[in-house]
Structure formats: structure tokens, C-alpha cells
Amino acid sequence: MKKPDIIVVGAGAAGLMAAYTLVKSGKSVTVLEARNRIGGRIHTVTNGFTNPVELGAEFVHGNLPVTLGLLKEAGIATTGVDFEMWQHHNGTFEKSNEFIEGFGEFLDKLNRLEEDMPMQVFIDQHFSDEKYAKMRNQIENYVAGYDTADIHDVSAFALRNEWNHEDEDAQHRITGGYGKLVDYLAKAIISAGNNILTDKAVTAITWSKNVVKVSTADGLIYEAAKVIIALPLGVLQAGAITFNPPIPHYTKAFNGIGFGSIIKILLEFDTPFWEDNAITGLTGKGLGTMGFLFADEAIPTFWTQVPNRSPLLTGWLGGPPAYEQKDASPEAVLEITLTSLSTIFKMDVPVLRNKLVAWNITNWTAEPFTLGSYAYDKVESAEARNVLQQPIETLYFAGEYLYNGPAMGTVEAALTSGKNVAAYVLDNN
């Protein structure tokens, strides 16, 4: 195989976007991917489901320029999604977007904070009174569910920025799934005469000026002038790759950024039972337009395929509660999920189980080539990100964890990072 100009380690969104950008500028690349597939945390499958489903990334969260621009370029359609929020507490359904009791008071005090600290420290200092117990619990649950973060180390400033600039732009799903976008990037890379090699888990990188040698688990060595490392942060934090010479300053920086935990549960039933008359009797209103459902259960978040009428229900467990279940079997997580639904909808677990047509549990925290969900900011993350965005001789890093903006943790973040690092390589060739 011909020696490429650049090796890209990781065929997720960041790695493929970096390779795609380089190829469009005439560079030759070889992409090495540890899995037997491309896409990383994008994984669109059928696997017994009636329609393609997303085991990983699912939504385009707002009017995101890089993602939507690439979709337009590829001619891939999207469907707008209107999220009608419902909550279930103490046996009662309520349509509501209010997740945190007394949030106005909380945000007002948070906006006056002058020095960053972990959110738990801020709460202990200002909202430790018993009257705030419900608020504290709601904040912890929200941070775990939405940011997949641990409230004990997540940055108060980062959450403040997120909550003050929540994206209310239109949300989208990609028609046919995110896999179409992955395939578009891969096709462009390969059709230009480059290689994307799967089942190539990188174990070591030996680097010096203008020469890098990348060793894989199957005993092969790939050589190029430069390498872009586009692996999930969890893999880098675990020390899966040995660098020679070592890069201790960068290794420390990896651990200065938070990386959450997630378990995604896909359940296809024979009918969308939550629209049944019996359920309408419980809610007092039909749930035919319900987008999200939040509940005080072991699996606290569910969503439907609205506006499409579909019997698919997605469950979501994030943050420390997901980490606690990282070693649970898929069958055990399924049982927990059905028990949660049983309590919410007052249907026996065997009835729900008999209605199941297909199911899948994706435990991204246990998945060895991901080891988590997506990044979140700790107090020291800005400094760590600055370190990691500076290349060392022939080593460059890319990934959603390096993105600094409102779309942190998304496919947009990964694509933007890949595009930016490729531009940096081209500018400094």
C-alpha cells in the first residue's frame, strides 16, 4: 500500500471529516478504524427493526452550519422535529417544559458567580437548605440526563453558559439516519483513491519530526508524515495508545475534560401503545404528539419518533446512573426499562414484553472503542483544550471534546473539529 501523506486514527465523524477535507485539497490519507465498521458514535442499523434506527447520535440540534451544510451538499434530506415535553411524577402526567423548581432564583445566583467551581460546590454554598432538596435533585438529574455529566466535577460556568444560551432553533432528524452522512464522507474519501481500513485498533504511535509510525493490534505498522488522532476522549483517557516518546502534558490534558456515560435503549412495540384510549384515560390528554417523557424512574427519559407515527420508543440513561449500570447485561437493562414503563403507564411487565417486536441496548460506556458518551467541561477544561489543540511535531488531535461552543458533545462538534484540524494541517504543510 502506498505511503499516505497523513494517517487518520478513527473513522468517526471527526476523523472522516478531517480525511474528507484533506482529500478535497489533494492530500492522500489512510484512515485506521478499530471497529469492524465506520461511524464511531454514529451507528444506524435495522437489525430486526421495521425502519432504520440510531444506536448513537440521532438529532441535529438546531441550525448547525457544518452539519446542515454537509447534508445539503450530499443531497440528504432532514425532517423537522417539534418536541412536546411531558412529565410523569407521583402517578400524574403533565405537559411541561419546567424541569427545575425555582430555576429562576437558581440561575440568578449562578449568573452572579465570579469564579468557576464544580456545580456541586456551588449548590452546597448557596442551596444547601432543606427547602431546596427537590431543586438539588432535579438539577442533578438534568445534568446527568442532558449533559451525561457528574455534578461533582462539571463546571458551573459551562452549565451557566449552556442554560443562558439554550438553542431553541428547529431540531431535525436525518431521513434514513446519520449513517447516510457517514457513507457520503467515506465514499468521497475512497473514490479519490484513499483507504479506510477497519479492524485496525491502534496500539502505539512512534513519532518524530515529519515521520510517524502507527502500530495496530494485528502487528502491522503504517507510516506517514503526520497523524490526526480522532478517537473518543474515553479511549484516550484510558491510555489505549502508547506514545513514543511519551506525551505526559497531553495525557494530563485528556483527563482535564469530562467524559460522560450513556446507555441508549431502543424498543419497538407492535403498536404505539401510549396512544391507546386506556393511556389517554390516565393522562387526561392524548399522547399522540408527545416527543419526550421525563419520569422519576430508573430509566428517567423516553422519546418517540414524533412527528412520525411509530411504535418505536427510545429510553435514555445518562451520567453517573449510567456508569453504575455499565457492567449490566442487556437483558438486565431491558428489565429495568420495562419496569419503568410499567410504573409510568400502569401496564404489567409481561404485557409490555409480549408487545415487543424488536429491542436493542447500546451501552456506550462499556463499548471498548468509546468508553463513554460525549464530553463535558470541568473547571480546568478550557486550559486542557488549549493544550490539546496545539500539535506536537507530527501529532494532531480531533474530536467533539475539542470543540468550544454551544454545540458541545454533538456531531456538529465532531465535524467542526475534524474540519478545523484538517485546515490547520493544510495551512502548516
Side-chain angles (χ1 to χ4, degrees):
M1 187 174 68
K2 183 182 175 182
K3 176 181 172 181
D5 297 320
I6 301 146
I7 291 171
V8 177
V9 179
L16 290 175
M17 188 63 177
Y20 171 78
T21 306
L22 292 167
V23 165
K24 287 208 307 182
S25 293
K27 296 295 182 182
S28 62
V29 301
T30 293
V31 182
L32 302 176
E33 168 56 47
R35 298 178 180 85
N36 61 2
R37 62 173 182 85
I38 62 172
R41 282 163 280 176
I42 293 173
H43 194 191
T44 307
V45 302
T46 302
N47 288 10
F49 290 88
T50 303
N51 296 302
V53 296
E54 304 283 26
L55 304 189
E58 181 171 344
F59 299 102
V60 180
H61 295 283
N63 294 314
L64 304 177
V66 178
T67 305
L68 294 178
L70 201 56
L71 289 170
K72 182 178 180 181
E73 177 187 310
I76 301 171
T78 62
T79 302
V81 181
D82 185 14
F83 296 151
E84 187 176 281
M85 308 284 193
W86 283 76
Q87 298 193 41
H88 180 270
H89 304 297
N90 301 318
T92 302
F93 285 88
E94 178 186 8
K95 186 163 72 170
S96 174
N97 293 343
E98 289 292 324
F99 297 102
I100 300 171
E101 184 180 274
F103 186 63
E105 177 188 358
F106 183 86
L107 191 57
D108 179 64
K109 193 155 287 187
L110 184 60
N111 282 334
R112 285 185 269 137
L113 185 65
E114 295 183 357
E115 184 175 339
D116 199 9
M117 59 184 64
M119 180 54 78
Q120 185 64 61
V121 175
F122 172 79
I123 290 173
D124 290 343
Q125 288 182 2
H126 299 282
F127 295 94
S128 60
D129 193 278
E130 181 58 31
K131 68 179 180 179
Y132 296 118
K134 184 176 180 181
M135 175 200 282
R136 291 194 299 270
N137 184 61
Q138 289 173 328
I139 291 172
E140 183 172 358
N141 291 342
Y142 186 83
V143 169
Y146 187 80
D147 300 280
T148 70
D150 187 338
I151 200 167
H152 293 88
D153 67 7
V154 66
S155 158
F157 277 6
L159 290 176
R160 180 174 72 182
N161 184 55
E162 174 190 316
W163 294 340
N164 280 317
H165 301 92
E166 286 190 301
D167 191 351
E168 296 182 358
D169 290 334
Q171 309 288 313
H172 313 270
R173 283 191 180 96
I174 296 175
T175 305
Y178 258 112
K180 283 194 168 186
L181 186 58
V182 168
D183 291 342
Y184 173 76
L185 293 172
K187 182 179 179 181
I189 294 164
I190 293 169
S191 64
N194 301 279
N195 294 293
I196 299 176
L197 307 178
T198 56
D199 292 306
K200 295 291 182 181
V202 172
T203 57
I205 295 176
T206 300
W207 59 276
S208 60
K209 189 173 183 179
N210 297 324
V211 179
V212 61
K213 295 181 180 180
V214 179
S215 301
T216 54
D218 56 6
L220 296 179
I221 297 175
Y222 298 84
E223 187 174 329
K226 298 177 181 180
V227 62
I228 295 173
I229 300 156
L231 296 177
L233 181 60
V235 175
L236 295 169
Q237 289 176 340
I241 295 179
T242 300
F243 291 91
N244 185 27
I247 52 171
H249 195 40
Y250 286 68
T251 302
K252 180 182 178 182
F254 293 144
N255 292 294
I257 302 173
F259 197 62
S261 300
I262 203 67
I263 299 175
K264 188 175 185 182
I265 303 129
L266 296 170
L267 307 172
E268 183 176 337
F269 295 95
D270 52 2
T271 64
F273 67 83
W274 50 93
E275 298 180 14
D276 292 350
N277 289 335
I279 305 301
T280 302
L282 281 176
T283 64
K285 261 190 172 185
L287 297 180
T289 56
M290 177 181 71
F292 274 75
L293 175 63
F294 303 92
D296 300 322
E297 300 298 329
I299 305 299
T301 304
F302 294 91
W303 64 79
T304 69
Q305 292 296 297
V306 164
N308 295 328
R309 188 173 187 272
S310 167
L312 182 70
L313 196 61
T314 301
W316 181 263
L317 181 66
Y323 187 81
E324 290 171 9
Q325 298 292 337
K326 70 181 178 67
D327 297 322
S329 68
E331 291 76 16
V333 175
L334 175 64
E335 189 68 25
I336 293 168
T337 307
L338 293 178
T339 300
S340 296
L341 291 173
S342 173
T343 302
I344 294 168
F345 292 109
K346 294 182 169 57
M347 298 174 68
D348 291 339
V349 169
V351 173
L352 288 166
R353 192 186 302 278
N354 286 336
K355 291 176 69 63
L356 266 183
V357 174
W359 62 278
N360 181 278
I361 310 296
T362 307
N363 186 343
W364 288 101
T365 309
E367 205 275 335
F369 300 125
T370 307
L371 299 177
S373 55
Y374 42 83
Y376 65 88
D377 271 354
K378 300 197 285 190
V379 172
E380 64 268 34
S381 292
E383 181 182 344
R385 198 176 290 113
N386 286 337
V387 170
L388 295 169
Q389 286 173 336
Q390 300 301 315
I392 325 170
E393 295 285 356
T394 57
L395 305 182
Y396 300 77
F397 294 95
E400 51 84 16
Y401 66 96
L402 291 177
Y403 174 88
N404 187 16
M408 187 175 180
T410 64
V411 174
E412 174 79 2
L415 292 172
T416 301
S417 176
K419 183 178 181 181
N420 288 347
V421 77
Y424 190 95
V425 170
L426 291 168
D427 289 344
N428 292 274
N429 188 26

